[in-house]
PDB file of all heavy atoms in Angstrom:
ATOM      1  N   MET O  21      48.788 -21.754 -43.826  1.00 98.00           N
ATOM      2  CA  MET O  21      48.454 -21.311 -45.237  1.00 98.00           C
ATOM      3  C   MET O  21      47.449 -20.240 -45.271  1.00 98.00           C
ATOM      4  O   MET O  21      47.312 -19.378 -46.008  1.00 98.00           O
ATOM      5  CB  MET O  21      47.930 -22.561 -45.947  1.00 98.00           C
ATOM      6  CG  MET O  21      49.100 -23.487 -46.283  1.00 98.00           C
ATOM      7  SD  MET O  21      48.608 -24.854 -47.433  1.00 98.00           S
ATOM      8  CE  MET O  21      47.735 -25.864 -46.274  1.00 98.00           C
ATOM      9  N   LEU O  22      46.383 -20.402 -44.445  1.00 98.00           N
ATOM     10  CA  LEU O  22      45.252 -19.460 -44.249  1.00 98.00           C
ATOM     11  C   LEU O  22      45.772 -18.121 -43.850  1.00 98.00           C
ATOM     12  O   LEU O  22      45.244 -16.997 -44.294  1.00 98.00           O
ATOM     13  CB  LEU O  22      44.168 -19.851 -43.270  1.00 98.00           C
ATOM     14  CG  LEU O  22      43.461 -21.127 -43.868  1.00 98.00           C
ATOM     15  CD1 LEU O  22      42.316 -21.595 -42.871  1.00 98.00           C
ATOM     16  CD2 LEU O  22      42.608 -20.833 -45.172  1.00 98.00           C
ATOM     17  N   THR O  23      46.674 -17.950 -42.876  1.00 98.00           N
ATOM     18  CA  THR O  23      47.430 -16.761 -42.562  1.00 98.00           C
ATOM     19  C   THR O  23      47.940 -16.003 -43.722  1.00 98.00           C
ATOM     20  O   THR O  23      47.891 -14.848 -43.869  1.00 98.00           O
ATOM     21  CB  THR O  23      48.307 -16.953 -41.445  1.00 98.00           C
ATOM     22  OG1 THR O  23      47.666 -17.570 -40.211  1.00 98.00           O
ATOM     23  CG2 THR O  23      48.984 -15.637 -40.984  1.00 98.00           C
ATOM     24  N   ARG O  24      48.782 -16.802 -44.467  1.00 98.00           N
ATOM     25  CA  ARG O  24      49.429 -16.362 -45.586  1.00 98.00           C
ATOM     26  C   ARG O  24      48.488 -15.787 -46.616  1.00 98.00           C
ATOM     27  O   ARG O  24      48.652 -14.619 -47.170  1.00 98.00           O
ATOM     28  CB  ARG O  24      50.438 -17.375 -46.251  1.00 98.00           C
ATOM     29  CG  ARG O  24      51.139 -16.832 -47.561  1.00 98.00           C
ATOM     30  CD  ARG O  24      52.049 -17.883 -48.210  1.00 98.00           C
ATOM     31  NE  ARG O  24      51.571 -19.209 -48.163  1.00 98.00           N
ATOM     32  CZ  ARG O  24      50.871 -19.642 -49.122  1.00 98.00           C
ATOM     33  NH1 ARG O  24      50.262 -18.803 -50.064  1.00 98.00           N
ATOM     34  NH2 ARG O  24      50.431 -20.876 -48.993  1.00 98.00           N
ATOM     35  N   ILE O  25      47.408 -16.662 -46.853  1.00 98.00           N
ATOM     36  CA  ILE O  25      46.441 -16.140 -47.791  1.00 98.00           C
ATOM     37  C   ILE O  25      45.801 -14.851 -47.365  1.00 98.00           C
ATOM     38  O   ILE O  25      45.501 -13.918 -48.178  1.00 98.00           O
ATOM     39  CB  ILE O  25      45.401 -17.360 -48.084  1.00 98.00           C
ATOM     40  CG1 ILE O  25      46.025 -18.370 -48.920  1.00 98.00           C
ATOM     41  CG2 ILE O  25      44.107 -16.679 -48.828  1.00 98.00           C
ATOM     42  CD1 ILE O  25      45.203 -19.583 -48.951  1.00 98.00           C
ATOM     43  N   ALA O  26      45.463 -14.749 -46.180  1.00 98.00           N
ATOM     44  CA  ALA O  26      44.803 -13.511 -45.549  1.00 98.00           C
ATOM     45  C   ALA O  26      45.681 -12.295 -45.839  1.00 98.00           C
ATOM     46  O   ALA O  26      45.303 -11.346 -46.187  1.00 98.00           O
ATOM     47  CB  ALA O  26      44.517 -13.726 -44.043  1.00 98.00           C
ATOM     48  N   HIS O  27      46.907 -12.475 -45.507  1.00 98.00           N
ATOM     49  CA  HIS O  27      47.970 -11.297 -45.760  1.00 98.00           C
ATOM     50  C   HIS O  27      48.096 -11.016 -47.218  1.00 98.00           C
ATOM     51  O   HIS O  27      48.044  -9.729 -47.676  1.00 98.00           O
ATOM     52  CB  HIS O  27      49.370 -11.767 -45.305  1.00 98.00           C
ATOM     53  CG  HIS O  27      49.396 -11.539 -43.876  1.00 98.00           C
ATOM     54  ND1 HIS O  27      49.554 -10.358 -43.016  1.00 98.00           N
ATOM     55  CD2 HIS O  27      49.453 -12.488 -42.758  1.00 98.00           C
ATOM     56  CE1 HIS O  27      49.672 -10.391 -41.766  1.00 98.00           C
ATOM     57  NE2 HIS O  27      49.399 -11.713 -41.472  1.00 98.00           N
ATOM     58  N   GLU O  28      47.929 -12.036 -48.232  1.00 98.00           N
ATOM     59  CA  GLU O  28      48.018 -11.648 -49.607  1.00 98.00           C
ATOM     60  C   GLU O  28      46.640 -10.963 -49.979  1.00 98.00           C
ATOM     61  O   GLU O  28      46.781 -10.018 -50.769  1.00 98.00           O
ATOM     62  CB  GLU O  28      48.195 -13.121 -50.340  1.00 98.00           C
ATOM     63  CG  GLU O  28      49.587 -13.712 -50.338  1.00 98.00           C
ATOM     64  CD  GLU O  28      49.531 -15.084 -50.925  1.00 98.00           C
ATOM     65  OE1 GLU O  28      48.607 -15.558 -51.483  1.00 98.00           O
ATOM     66  OE2 GLU O  28      50.619 -15.810 -50.794  1.00 98.00           O
ATOM     67  N   ILE O  29      45.540 -11.329 -49.406  1.00 98.00           N
ATOM     68  CA  ILE O  29      44.302 -10.657 -49.805  1.00 98.00           C
ATOM     69  C   ILE O  29      44.481  -9.184 -49.332  1.00 98.00           C
ATOM     70  O   ILE O  29      44.108  -8.322 -50.121  1.00 98.00           O
ATOM     71  CB  ILE O  29      43.189 -11.419 -49.127  1.00 98.00           C
ATOM     72  CG1 ILE O  29      43.045 -12.761 -49.722  1.00 98.00           C
ATOM     73  CG2 ILE O  29      41.877 -10.543 -49.213  1.00 98.00           C
ATOM     74  CD1 ILE O  29      41.934 -13.535 -48.903  1.00 98.00           C
ATOM     75  N   VAL O  30      44.864  -8.969 -48.215  1.00 97.00           N
ATOM     76  CA  VAL O  30      44.893  -7.642 -47.761  1.00 97.00           C
ATOM     77  C   VAL O  30      45.905  -6.711 -48.577  1.00 97.00           C
ATOM     78  O   VAL O  30      45.661  -5.599 -48.879  1.00 97.00           O
ATOM     79  CB  VAL O  30      45.434  -7.460 -46.256  1.00 97.00           C
ATOM     80  CG1 VAL O  30      45.906  -6.148 -45.812  1.00 97.00           C
ATOM     81  CG2 VAL O  30      44.420  -8.060 -45.262  1.00 97.00           C
ATOM     82  N   GLU O  31      47.059  -7.248 -48.987  1.00 96.00           N
ATOM     83  CA  GLU O  31      47.887  -6.716 -49.809  1.00 96.00           C
ATOM     84  C   GLU O  31      47.427  -6.242 -51.215  1.00 96.00           C
ATOM     85  O   GLU O  31      47.497  -5.212 -51.669  1.00 96.00           O
ATOM     86  CB  GLU O  31      49.303  -7.370 -49.988  1.00 96.00           C
ATOM     87  CG  GLU O  31      50.353  -6.793 -50.751  1.00 96.00           C
ATOM     88  CD  GLU O  31      51.557  -7.643 -50.793  1.00 96.00           C
ATOM     89  OE1 GLU O  31      51.916  -8.390 -49.888  1.00 96.00           O
ATOM     90  OE2 GLU O  31      52.367  -7.451 -51.781  1.00 96.00           O
ATOM     91  N   ARG O  32      46.709  -7.378 -51.675  1.00 95.00           N
ATOM     92  CA  ARG O  32      46.135  -7.203 -53.111  1.00 95.00           C
ATOM     93  C   ARG O  32      45.024  -6.249 -53.152  1.00 95.00           C
ATOM     94  O   ARG O  32      44.851  -5.572 -54.029  1.00 95.00           O
ATOM     95  CB  ARG O  32      45.987  -8.603 -53.697  1.00 95.00           C
ATOM     96  CG  ARG O  32      45.485  -8.507 -55.098  1.00 95.00           C
ATOM     97  CD  ARG O  32      45.331  -9.910 -55.714  1.00 95.00           C
ATOM     98  NE  ARG O  32      44.894  -9.793 -57.082  1.00 95.00           N
ATOM     99  CZ  ARG O  32      44.784 -11.025 -57.869  1.00 95.00           C
ATOM    100  NH1 ARG O  32      45.175 -12.157 -57.297  1.00 95.00           N
ATOM    101  NH2 ARG O  32      44.275 -10.870 -58.959  1.00 95.00           N
ATOM    102  N   ALA O  33      44.181  -6.332 -52.030  1.00 92.00           N
ATOM    103  CA  ALA O  33      43.022  -5.596 -52.146  1.00 92.00           C
ATOM    104  C   ALA O  33      43.106  -4.277 -51.438  1.00 92.00           C
ATOM    105  O   ALA O  33      42.175  -3.473 -51.215  1.00 92.00           O
ATOM    106  CB  ALA O  33      41.819  -6.419 -51.341  1.00 92.00           C
ATOM    107  N   LYS O  34      44.483  -3.944 -51.028  1.00 90.00           N
ATOM    108  CA  LYS O  34      44.772  -2.708 -50.325  1.00 90.00           C
ATOM    109  C   LYS O  34      43.793  -2.418 -49.105  1.00 90.00           C
ATOM    110  O   LYS O  34      43.275  -1.386 -48.951  1.00 90.00           O
ATOM    111  CB  LYS O  34      44.584  -1.548 -51.339  1.00 90.00           C
ATOM    112  CG  LYS O  34      45.626  -1.670 -52.423  1.00 90.00           C
ATOM    113  CD  LYS O  34      45.489  -0.556 -53.550  1.00 90.00           C
ATOM    114  CE  LYS O  34      46.336  -0.570 -54.634  1.00 90.00           C
ATOM    115  NZ  LYS O  34      46.442  -1.763 -55.557  1.00 90.00           N
ATOM    116  N   GLY O  35      43.787  -3.384 -48.292  1.00 88.00           N
ATOM    117  CA  GLY O  35      43.134  -3.376 -47.046  1.00 88.00           C
ATOM    118  C   GLY O  35      41.797  -4.211 -46.996  1.00 88.00           C
ATOM    119  O   GLY O  35      41.308  -4.286 -45.932  1.00 88.00           O
TER     120      GLY O  35
END
Side-chain angles (χ1 to χ4, degrees):
M21 288 186 288
L22 291 174
T23 299
R24 179 177 42 79
I25 289 171
H27 281 280
E28 290 174 6
I29 292 166
V30 169
E31 182 177 335
R32 186 170 175 178
K34 296 176 178 60

